[in-house]
């Protein structure tokens, strides 16, 4: 065997702890503030169980992964690290390209890493049901999967237009026993209020969040679950980077650049933070590139300010890279990158110079995805394809300067439920979107006023 | 760690040879016969390259896997062997249940094991293009994937109704660069003849085969590729069982029963034959169960006779379990199990008492698939779900007799492109199909007359 391709950890090498980067940051991440009073606040107990509220704030460097969570992880983890040698050859690059393949999870993405943890802690706290919102369905299917394994009910409010247009993720959730409701619904005050004004409403993520939060807030046995942005979500995702560090050691290399796509920031953080620890604590020379969409460029074009996470102003406000919570991005196929804000920790790292954001229009993203599929065989989710675009650009740059460069990226999810997007691309029907400067200017007028 | 779940081979444990069961059979498998003369014949050189024609006949016990094929295999192989401990607990069975998970391949099934090999040998022989037919698209996408990696063109004739109703497998093929044409088409005599009589024809697998074969027969640079049934296809699939044997050794167990679903027989054979070698050569006590559909029960209700493989009577005839080549099964969702015949080697093993066939109606099959998805998290293709039904029945039987039983089955493919079938199941719209005795009786009148 001349060239190793896959670096596979054994089951007993599955990491035993998540990494909490708050322990090592040389700066403070501004606290959450109460949306009405502007005072520092915790996550609200009606919505989250105590263990997760504590994980949101802890300064412990490592948080032990409970054994029942590790048992579920072992259904698909450790995930493979793969050297993309065929892509390297096609690009004729001296760069070494590695990808961490999270698409092997049952729901097909990195999302269950936190869904399983959240379901476990909620179950331990006596919670009977978790609610959440979902757009295209990647997060909803991860939570449905996790709740089913712990014997809990999962209630998903799915944006109505997606519910009807993209039924297969919904069926996947139902296969795992979830109760999926098109939003806006008649089940909540928030939903009824929308339907009264607009009976034909096709829904939005903001409305679906409001419904899911309302149900959690008004039922003692029910909590709410969020799939990105929050500190504890990023914490759970660090299992990706902890495994990848061991696998890069097996490969005998260290990354010069670590790349992930960013919507709320969790898959990027999950891979990057354990390598960022090496930079923060040992001075390792490694760059971090976050790839976003030009249609929703919160890092490259947003402001760093306190903003609401939800349209109903129910959740605490956070200081983050944001385009304004009233900003509605264009309908790109990478639905997971359409969030107006960015995880507070990722935003702070960006503003302190640790992360280089880069934004791509969707045509160049699909071009990269097709190139990757033909080189390596794997078809990426449109979100993941943003990372691939950044990887290819880095590899081409390495060729041009003639230098060795080790690139590691997070292949956050497969595209089996996104073939309609590829179909549109091949049919020449995909549009690029300019940076929506005017819309962002308007949305930024709605930021909360805090000192 | 108390309970190991996954048994993972390292990259350098990837087997170096396929296993050819013809070397060890205590009986002769009847030869292929020419469809017109009835004389023993080889596979026709206009359709297949020499290396594959030789592999169809060889009596060598092991056939070395060429290094370029192993290099491609390593993109996803060795595949995991997983102990289904959650399913065991839910069934409250003393049985140990293991599954070999072939769904991790880029096209999502076992099919590329042979597609890659066929593409390699054809490329070596100077072939520029491979043609094939596909129904729902699982085989077509595997061949598209393989041809792309070896820089060949792939021409897929896709049954017209599937082309329009199931576009996502088609888009997957196109993502890998294949040329997908709805069949019947104007591109071939066979297609034009059908369209002249019936311009609105929705196509059939038989018509699509005729188109693919015609193109290969009439173009020097083009060969035809088949995804099951033939000896060399079964040979390539034995990589599954060779890996599984090593992994069962890691688990410290030997299977008492090996189970796979059967359409043409290749995924079943791929897992079973290396374990059958242990029975043939060392007297190992192991049972083999082949799970088919009651809608197309070639093993449980067919006859063992020479029959045509294709409706146009172009290919050699083979002695096999068959329902008659003019038999058209009901439109079950397990499209891969709708072939009228069975691989000649599998048929012969059945008739010599080595294989126990069992047939299931589709509702019990989907019931098993949903139970498995909720227990283990993985959503099965409808074909694979037939094997799962057999596994669950074996595990329940083990509970009832109170005995230890080690069950191993081939999880041949995931169901990400089959969610419409699950949707129909949940909606109560799926039908069971009785054994179509009258239709089979009619079809069996069309068997070729041979001595």
């Amino acid at each position: 065997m001349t060239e190793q391709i896959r670096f596979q950890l054994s089951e007993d090498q599955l990491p035993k702890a998540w990494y909490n980067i708050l322990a090592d940051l040389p700066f403070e991440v501004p606290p959450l503030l109460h949306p009405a009073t502007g005072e520092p606040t915790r996550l609200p107990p009606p919505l989250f169980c105590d263990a997760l509220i504590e994980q949101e704030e802890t300064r412990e460097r490592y948080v032990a992964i409970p054994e029942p969570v590790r048992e579920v992880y072992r259904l698909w983890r450790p995930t493979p690290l793969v050297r993309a040698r065929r892509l390297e050859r096609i690009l004729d690059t001296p760069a070494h390209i590695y990808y961490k393949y999270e698409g092997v999870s049952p729901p097909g993405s990195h999302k269950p890493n936190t869904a399983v943890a959240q379901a476990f802690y909620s179950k331990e706290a006596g919670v009977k049901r978790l609610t959440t919102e979902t757009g295209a369905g990647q997060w909803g299917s991860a939570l449905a999967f996790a709740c089913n394994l712990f014997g809990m009910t999962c209630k998903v409010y799915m944006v109505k237009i997606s519910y009807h247009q993209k039924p297969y993720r919904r069926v996947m959730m139902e296969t795992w026993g979830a109760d999926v409701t098109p939003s806006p619904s008649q089940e909540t005050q928030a939903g009824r209020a929308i339907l009264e004004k607009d009976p034909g409403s096709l829904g939005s993520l903001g409305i679906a969040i409001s419904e899911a939060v309302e149900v959690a807030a008004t039922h003692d046995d029910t909590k709410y679950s969020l799939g990105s942005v929050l500190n504890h979500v990023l914490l759970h995702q660090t299992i990706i980077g902890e495994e990848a560090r061991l696998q890069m050691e097996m490969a005998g290399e260290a990354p010069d650049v670590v790349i992930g796509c960013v919507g709320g920031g969790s898959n990027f953080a999950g891979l990057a933070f354990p390598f960022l620890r090496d930079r923060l604590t040992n001075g390792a020379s490694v760059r971090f590139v976050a790839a976003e969409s030009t249609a929703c460029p919160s890092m490259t074009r947003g402001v760093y300010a306190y903003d609401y996470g939800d349209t109903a102003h129910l959740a605490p406000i956070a200081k983050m890279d944001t385009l304004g919570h009233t900003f509605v991005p264009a309908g790109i196929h990478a639905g997971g990158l359409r969030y107006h804000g960015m995880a507070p920790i990722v935003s702070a790292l960006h503003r302190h110079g640790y992360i280089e954001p880069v934004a791509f229009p969707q045509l160049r993203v699909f071009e990269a995805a097709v190139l990757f599929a033909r080189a390596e065989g794997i078809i990426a989710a449109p979100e993941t394809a943003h990372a691939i675009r950044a990887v290819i650009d880095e590899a081409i740059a390495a060729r041009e300067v003639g230098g060795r460069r080790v690139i590691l990226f997070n292949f956050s999810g497969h595209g089996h439920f996104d073939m309609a997007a590829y179909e549109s691309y091949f049919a020449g029907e995909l549009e690029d979107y300019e940076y929506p400067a005017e819309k962002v200017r308007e949305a930024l007028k709605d930021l909360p006023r805090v000192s």
Side-chain angles (χ1 to χ4, degrees), chain A residues 20 81 139 159 194 231 236 268 296 320 325 334 356 410 437:
Chain A
N20 177 22
L81 180 81
W139 166 243
V159 176
I194 297 285
N231 297 355
H236 301 151
F268 169 80
C296 195
M320 57 184 176
H325 67 285
E356 307 164 35
N410 196 353

Side-chain angles (χ1 to χ4, degrees), chain A residues 223-234:
Chain A
K223 298 285 182 192
Y224 171 71
S225 183
L226 195 65
S228 190
V229 177
L230 297 176
N231 297 355
H232 68 269
V233 177
L234 275 49

